[in-house]
Amino acid sequence: MLITPNSNKMFFLFILFFSTLISISSNSWLGCWIGLEINLLSFIPLMSSPNNLLNSETSLKYFLTQSIASINFLFAILLNLFLMNFFFNNFFSIIINSAMLMKMGSIPFHFWFPNIMEGLSWINCFILMTWQKITPMILLSYYLNFSYLYVIMIFNVLVGAISSFNQTSLRKLMAFSSINNLGWMISSMIISENLWFIYFIFYSIFTFIMCFLFYMINTFYINQLFFFNMNFLIKISIMINFLSLGGLPPFLGFFPKWLVINYLLNNNFIIISFIFVMSSLILLFVYIRIIYSSLMFFSFKLKWFKIFMKNNYLISIYFFNFISLLGMIASTFFF
């Protein structure tokens, strides 16, 4: 999509980045809301592509859910203006938090997220899973309702892990992985914004690597990973990055999760950290099942199907594998 030099796409992409900066740097709730609206209106043209059958349905679903979230957000802001009352503070914070959670595609407002991911190209999936979460996350940090968010983050990691079972679509799998990581991100945001930033950067790197690999071999379903007589290097790199995304200790993806768990255990959040670790194990089981099958089923070969890879693609794969395997060195230096 964005690979073709299209001036319209570049224009909307620029507005998408710009709108996030408007929201983050605004010093009034209304300014934040305006930034969110510009963000929504710039992402919808990016989603639309003539090659996509699910295009109009996806755009409409995305527009409706984001509009409902924006309306709730605006409602909370206006109520706050008219009823400057200490007793309503809890109520306002829950409404604002819910609107932001809906923008991100978090539990309990997550039903739109996998459906919309299913209708997007890999590059759009990457934008939806990473960049589109920045604004709601930072607005969430302005008005945290802790007791509400504790429940939300526990359900996020659980539903993200359990819903990954029996998914045949890689995009839906990535969507549920994103919902799971959202639980981790909310917990890191409650701890500190710096920790959230570190976690988000790492998460974005791994999501980008996965989306790039799947985009490069043009794969959208799990069974496509089994049948390709594709380069074994790609299968190995998908394995390494899947394990890294799941947070297996030697890999770099474990590092941000380790920081979060470290804090939770130091502050006696034993049950929450236990649930987080268990959900990561479930996700790793799902990933390993896919990887195992794709590495073992190497028999079916399509003679007319070849993946021609350019050299610079191969170099980038080596580079990504190197990044994912850096984990041991990085964590040793840190502690």
Side-chain angles (χ1 to χ4, degrees):
M1 180 212 87
L2 290 169
I3 303 302
T4 51
N6 186 338
S7 56
N8 291 344
K9 299 278 188 205
M10 289 311 295
F11 172 68
F12 285 120
L13 195 66
F14 173 73
I15 292 181
L16 185 81
F17 295 152
F18 191 62
S19 63
T20 301
L21 299 179
I22 291 174
S23 279
I24 292 171
S25 57
S26 171
N27 58 357
S28 72
W29 283 116
L30 208 60
C32 298
W33 175 77
I34 289 167
L36 283 170
E37 291 304 299
I38 296 171
N39 183 282
L40 164 65
L41 293 176
S42 60
F43 189 57
I44 287 176
L46 287 176
M47 291 165 88
S48 56
S49 112
N51 312 330
N52 198 345
L53 295 173
L54 298 170
N55 170 21
S56 51
E57 181 197 344
T58 309
S59 304
L60 191 62
K61 276 181 186 170
Y62 186 74
F63 176 73
L64 287 174
T65 47
Q66 298 292 319
S67 303
I68 293 166
S70 293
I71 289 166
N72 286 342
F73 185 45
L74 196 58
F75 171 67
I77 297 166
L78 294 176
L79 263 184
N80 211 352
L81 280 176
F82 294 127
L83 301 169
M84 293 291 278
N85 193 331
F86 181 72
F87 294 108
F88 285 105
N89 248 351
N90 210 17
F91 177 62
F92 291 142
S93 64
I94 285 182
I95 293 183
I96 287 179
N97 284 5
S98 298
M100 291 303 112
L101 291 171
M102 192 169 181
K103 284 263 178 203
M104 288 185 280
S106 162
I107 301 289
F109 316 102
H110 67 290
F111 296 102
W112 61 273
F113 193 64
N115 288 342
I116 284 171
M117 285 275 289
E118 191 59 27
L120 295 181
S121 70
W122 276 118
I123 298 181
N124 282 330
C125 284
F126 169 68
I127 295 174
L128 185 62
M129 283 191 292
T130 54
W131 189 265
Q132 295 297 80
K133 285 187 172 37
I134 295 176
T135 317
M137 266 299 193
I138 288 180
L139 296 192
L140 189 70
S141 73
Y142 295 158
Y143 211 162
L144 292 167
N145 185 328
F146 293 105
S147 48
Y148 177 56
L149 287 177
Y150 284 138
V151 178
I152 293 290
M153 69 197 200
I154 287 171
F155 276 107
N156 259 329
V157 290
L158 286 177
V159 172
I162 293 164
S163 307
S164 302
F165 278 94
N166 297 338
Q167 291 298 336
T168 51
S169 163
L170 285 169
R171 284 175 292 194
K172 279 191 176 170
L173 192 73
M174 291 299 285
F176 285 118
S177 160
S178 181
I179 289 171
N180 177 277
N181 276 291
L182 204 54
W184 288 86
M185 271 192 257
I186 292 170
S187 68
S188 60
M189 180 60 94
I190 287 173
I191 296 163
S192 84
E193 287 189 16
N194 288 340
L195 182 59
W196 170 79
F197 186 68
I198 292 168
Y199 193 97
F200 184 77
I201 292 289
F202 277 103
Y203 166 69
S204 301
I205 290 169
F206 298 124
T207 308
F208 172 74
I209 293 172
M210 294 310 299
C211 290
F212 179 76
L213 284 170
F214 293 141
Y215 166 78
M216 194 171 59
I217 56 178
N218 201 20
T219 303
F220 294 104
Y221 294 94
I222 287 172
N223 58 359
Q224 284 174 285
L225 290 174
F226 304 162
F227 296 147
F228 286 166
N229 49 349
M230 62 179 168
N231 195 329
F232 202 67
L233 171 71
I234 300 180
K235 290 197 172 186
I236 293 293
S237 55
I238 286 174
M239 179 186 86
I240 290 172
N241 291 302
F242 253 149
L243 292 176
S244 204
L245 194 65
L248 195 69
F251 301 101
L252 196 56
F254 171 64
F255 182 60
K257 292 190 172 183
W258 183 24
L259 296 180
V260 175
I261 289 172
N262 202 7
Y263 177 86
L264 289 174
L265 287 176
N266 285 342
N267 288 282
N268 292 332
F269 291 112
I270 308 291
I271 298 171
I272 291 180
S273 47
F274 175 74
I275 292 170
F276 274 32
V277 173
M278 285 300 123
S279 73
S280 282
L281 285 176
I282 297 171
L283 260 184
L284 272 172
F285 169 72
V286 174
Y287 292 156
I288 287 170
R289 198 172 55 179
I290 296 163
I291 296 157
Y292 182 75
S293 310
S294 73
L295 287 173
M296 292 298 137
F297 298 164
F298 209 62
S299 54
F300 183 72
K301 290 209 171 192
L302 299 168
K303 285 192 176 166
W304 57 87
F305 188 90
K306 286 271 189 289
I307 294 179
F308 292 108
M309 284 179 54
K310 296 172 184 167
N311 276 338
N312 54 353
Y313 275 176
L314 273 173
I315 291 165
S316 58
I317 286 181
Y318 281 125
F319 177 65
F320 291 152
N321 290 354
F322 173 68
I323 288 177
S324 288
L325 290 169
L326 260 179
M328 294 174 276
I329 306 167
S331 52
T332 315
F333 277 129
F334 193 78
F335 281 104

